Amino acid sequence: MSEKTLYQKLQNIHKKVPYIQKSQQASKYSYAGSSDVLGTIHGLMDEEKLILIPQITNKNTETSQNRKGSTVIFTELMMTMTWVNSDNPDEKLECQWYAQGIDTAGEKGVGKALTYGEKYFLLKFFNVATDDLDPDAFQENVKAQKTPELINDEQKKTLKELFNSMASVTKTPIEKVSKAYLKKVNSDSIEKLQEDTAIGLIELVTNQLNKQTEKAGK
């Protein structure tokens, strides 16, 4: 069995991390902390045998005074984030990245920028959502926003057969039967039904057909 490529491994992590909840609280907002992000993704990186190597390629600092008279140092880092496939170390992927950090003491600006840069690189690289909602509520929102699936061929066939059977049992023209049932779900065509609506309609017609069949047999 051949080893997975670097891109296949990254894709596996992408599939497994659709969401990270914001658990940290600041004065006016909540956010996903570095421990939330790394705790979620680090284990998956180990599973896939991937290493992420950060490298600072350029640096810029600006010094200013805050309202209290303290010195504030703004640090900007230009970075290269390199993914390495441990199963095949020659297979690498380099990504250019930018990070920044603010510090009033002076010695932590680079560290804050590195922490910020690593966290947001992972979030953006894997397209991870960080919603205020809890994970279950977030997933429900995602599902609600998806384009509804339309009726499939098997469901179309089943509904047409049910309409035909109902028309036969009730001695009613099939056009009238199908029109009446489609009206119940606010549709004028089987082709326009959504998948979940079709499932409900199949159940409805089946139940009513069973009752009509029993009635006709008495």
Side-chain angles (χ1 to χ4, degrees):
M1 181 178 178
S2 61
E3 295 286 352
K4 288 181 288 187
T5 66
L6 173 62
Y7 286 97
Q8 287 173 326
K9 293 182 175 188
L10 291 170
Q11 181 64 47
N12 284 342
I13 296 176
H14 186 278
K15 287 190 296 185
K16 293 177 181 178
V17 192
Y19 169 87
I20 295 177
Q21 186 178 3
K22 293 180 179 179
S23 66
Q24 306 298 314
Q25 190 68 41
S27 57
K28 295 182 180 180
Y29 60 92
S30 59
Y31 63 97
S34 294
S35 58
D36 299 319
V37 178
L38 293 177
T40 300
I41 297 177
H42 188 273
L44 296 174
M45 289 168 57
D46 286 343
E47 286 179 17
E48 296 294 340
K49 297 182 180 179
L50 292 179
I51 297 174
L52 178 62
I53 302 175
Q55 179 183 11
I56 299 173
T57 57
N58 206 346
K59 174 187 173 183
N60 178 57
T61 58
E62 295 180 7
T63 302
S64 62
Q65 300 289 319
N66 63 19
R67 292 180 180 178
K68 296 181 179 180
S70 300
T71 300
V72 176
I73 299 177
F74 176 66
T75 301
E76 294 180 295
L77 301 179
M78 277 53 76
M79 305 179 66
T80 298
M81 310 294 281
T82 304
W83 289 106
V84 180
N85 181 359
S86 295
D87 288 323
N88 179 13
D90 291 332
E91 190 177 18
K92 301 176 181 180
L93 174 64
E94 292 186 352
C95 304
Q96 303 305 309
W97 195 242
Y98 166 84
Q100 58 182 225
I102 297 177
D103 188 49
T104 54
E107 76 277 9
K108 297 180 181 178
V110 172
K112 289 182 177 180
L114 286 171
T115 300
Y116 172 95
E118 182 180 40
K119 179 179 77 170
Y120 280 98
F121 173 77
L122 291 172
L123 287 174
K124 298 308 176 183
F125 186 89
F126 291 114
N127 311 119
V128 180
T130 54
D131 206 279
D132 288 321
L133 298 171
D134 64 82
D136 289 336
F138 174 80
Q139 293 296 348
E140 288 302 317
N141 272 11
V142 171
K143 290 179 183 177
Q145 293 170 17
K146 288 183 178 178
T147 304
E149 294 289 337
L150 290 176
I151 185 172
N152 58 47
D153 291 338
E154 186 64 31
Q155 290 170 331
K156 291 177 189 176
K157 180 181 177 183
T158 300
L159 270 178
K160 289 176 181 178
E161 290 175 350
L162 286 170
F163 289 162
N164 188 61
S165 296
M166 182 63 79
S168 178
V169 171
T170 59
K171 304 290 192 290
T172 306
I174 188 171
E175 293 80 7
K176 187 174 181 179
V177 170
S178 60
K179 185 176 180 180
Y181 276 110
L182 289 171
K183 187 176 180 180
K184 289 179 182 290
V185 292
N186 300 313
S187 180
D188 58 3
S189 171
I190 287 180
E191 304 293 332
K192 297 178 182 179
L193 293 177
Q194 293 178 10
E195 190 175 39
D196 56 346
T197 303
I199 292 172
L201 190 55
I202 288 171
E203 183 178 354
L204 172 64
V205 182
T206 299
N207 290 337
Q208 292 189 355
L209 179 60
N210 288 337
K211 292 179 181 178
Q212 289 292 334
T213 302
E214 290 176 6
K215 187 186 297 184
K218 291 181 179 179

